[in-house]
Amino acid sequence: MRSGLLLAFLAVAYVGVPLLFGGMDYVMSLVIAALTIAGIAVAWALLGNLGGLVSFGHAAFFGVGAYVSALLVMDHGWPVLTAMVAGGIGAAVASLATMPALRLRGPYFALAILAYAHIFKILAVEFSSITGGARGLLSIPGFPTILGLDLASKTGAYLLILSIVLAWMAVYHAIRRSTWGLALRAMHDSELATRVVGVPSTHLKAVMLVVSAFMTGVVGAFNAHQISFLDPEYAFSGTWTVLPIAAAIFGGYRTVWGPLMGALVVYLLDQLVFKEIMPSGHQLVFGVLLGAMILLSPQGLMPLLARLGVARPHRATAGVAASQATPPQATEDSNARA
């Protein structure tokens, strides 16, 4: 995205949205929820695109981060923002337990991570002396006031989660452009070939898993302090896996901006439009929309906008699109004529 468009987006996001919708608590709540999903979607895309690992268990990292942060504040008096970072670290540490699943590939890895999510949920219920069990945690302290800005307000919470999501996108972008990112993308073509030339593929995947878990854990911690309530059913709900995956795929998880745009479009359309039209079956319309996007543009919304001239494609995305647009046979024929 060009610098001018980026500055315009930041101006609208940080100034325009609070000015236009700051007094509409319901709308701001929906935007905060969409950005929460976007934060997990970016973390999922980081693991899925660069790590090459499809996860069905990010709810595990979300729940662990939420519980660690809430308990540190409630039981040990930690500052909320510091506890949120600790929640991310807790989720990253929890991800170490899933490392044996890295030996698996494809759907087997996805199902293994899903099993870990259920294990963490059961642990949260059983260790009731620490987590409150099925009853959950009530009256979790909210965000503080910093420099006159009440982060516990809708506007303050919006600015906080927006900053978190943009920070995760910056991390995603930086890793993509690094030598690690180059090695990870090469692994998509042939992991065996990259191992032959000395690339520690399993190590790199493990790093991506830990980073992705940390990101998700911080978002989970934010959500816990934002709603001031937590229980195992909510913290480890499959919603925190399904919606981010749908948002990332819809927006284009191979692009940096795709997960954010996908989450905003998917969630806000579902809540503000589809839910009003079909209160009891709005998920059906959402499913049709997602299916249509997969058929029309398998790479997601952002590459589609790039083809329509609305957005400039990322170099990697443009290269993929170009390679798909030129059939191998056509290339061989042109070489033969030459």
Side-chain angles (χ1 to χ4, degrees):
M1 183 175 289
R2 296 173 182 174
S3 57
L5 291 176
L6 177 60
L7 292 175
F9 170 82
L10 293 177
V12 171
Y14 278 99
V15 180
V17 171
L19 286 177
L20 291 174
F21 305 108
M24 305 178 185
D25 286 351
Y26 176 67
V27 174
M28 290 300 290
S29 296
L30 292 181
V31 175
I32 291 170
L35 289 174
T36 301
I37 294 170
I40 308 172
V42 173
W44 184 88
L46 175 71
L47 182 63
N49 183 23
L50 298 184
L53 300 171
V54 176
S55 168
F56 287 168
H58 265 54
F61 310 136
F62 181 93
V64 169
Y67 268 104
V68 168
S69 183
L71 291 172
L72 286 176
V73 175
M74 297 178 70
D75 296 345
H76 302 283
W78 281 42
V80 171
L81 298 182
T82 304
M84 286 175 57
V85 177
I89 295 174
V93 172
S95 72
L96 298 179
T98 68
M99 289 299 168
L102 290 177
R103 298 181 178 181
L104 304 175
R105 295 291 182 270
Y108 302 103
F109 172 83
L111 292 176
I113 295 296
L114 177 61
Y116 278 108
H118 285 286
I119 291 173
F120 285 122
K121 178 180 176 180
I122 294 172
L123 291 176
V125 173
E126 294 299 326
F127 286 89
S128 57
S129 60
I130 300 175
T131 65
R135 183 182 66 239
L137 302 175
L138 301 174
S139 302
I140 299 174
F143 304 115
T145 298
I146 298 180
L147 300 177
L149 176 62
D150 182 13
L151 295 179
S153 66
K154 295 298 182 184
T155 299
Y158 161 77
L159 293 175
L160 178 58
I161 187 60
L162 174 66
S163 300
I164 291 173
V165 173
L166 292 179
W168 292 171
M169 291 169 60
V171 171
Y172 186 2
H173 178 69
I175 294 177
R176 283 187 62 163
R177 294 176 62 88
S178 68
T179 54
W180 280 17
L182 179 62
L184 288 164
R185 290 197 299 273
M187 284 163 49
H188 288 188
D189 296 329
S190 176
E191 183 173 344
L192 178 60
T194 55
R195 286 184 177 182
V196 169
V197 297
V199 174
S201 58
T202 303
H203 172 74
L204 290 180
K205 288 182 178 182
V207 171
M208 290 301 100
L209 178 59
V210 171
V211 173
S212 181
F214 173 82
M215 292 178 171
T216 307
V218 172
V219 176
F222 164 85
N223 184 258
H225 294 289
Q226 199 259 323
I227 66 173
S228 299
F229 167 77
L230 202 60
D231 69 8
E233 286 293 334
Y234 175 83
F236 298 96
S237 169
T239 299
W240 305 119
T241 296
V242 175
L243 284 182
I245 292 176
I249 292 175
F250 185 89
Y253 72 97
R254 295 189 184 278
T255 67
V256 175
W257 288 89
L260 171 60
M261 295 306 173
L264 291 174
V265 171
V266 164
Y267 188 79
L268 294 181
L269 272 179
D270 182 55
Q271 294 295 312
L272 295 175
V273 179
F274 302 151
K275 193 173 182 179
E276 295 296 325
I277 298 174
M278 299 176 61
S280 60
H282 57 96
Q283 295 90 349
L284 176 63
V285 183
F286 162 71
V288 172
L289 179 64
L290 179 61
M293 176 57 68
I294 293 175
L295 291 175
L296 294 174
S297 179
Q299 298 295 324
L301 178 63
M302 294 303 292
L304 177 62
L305 294 177
R307 291 200 298 270
L308 296 176
V310 178
R312 187 181 71 171
H314 188 277
R315 289 180 182 177
T317 304
V320 171
S323 64
Q324 292 176 344
T326 305
Q329 185 62 40
T331 305
E332 293 174 2
D333 292 343
S334 62
N335 292 337
R337 288 195 296 269

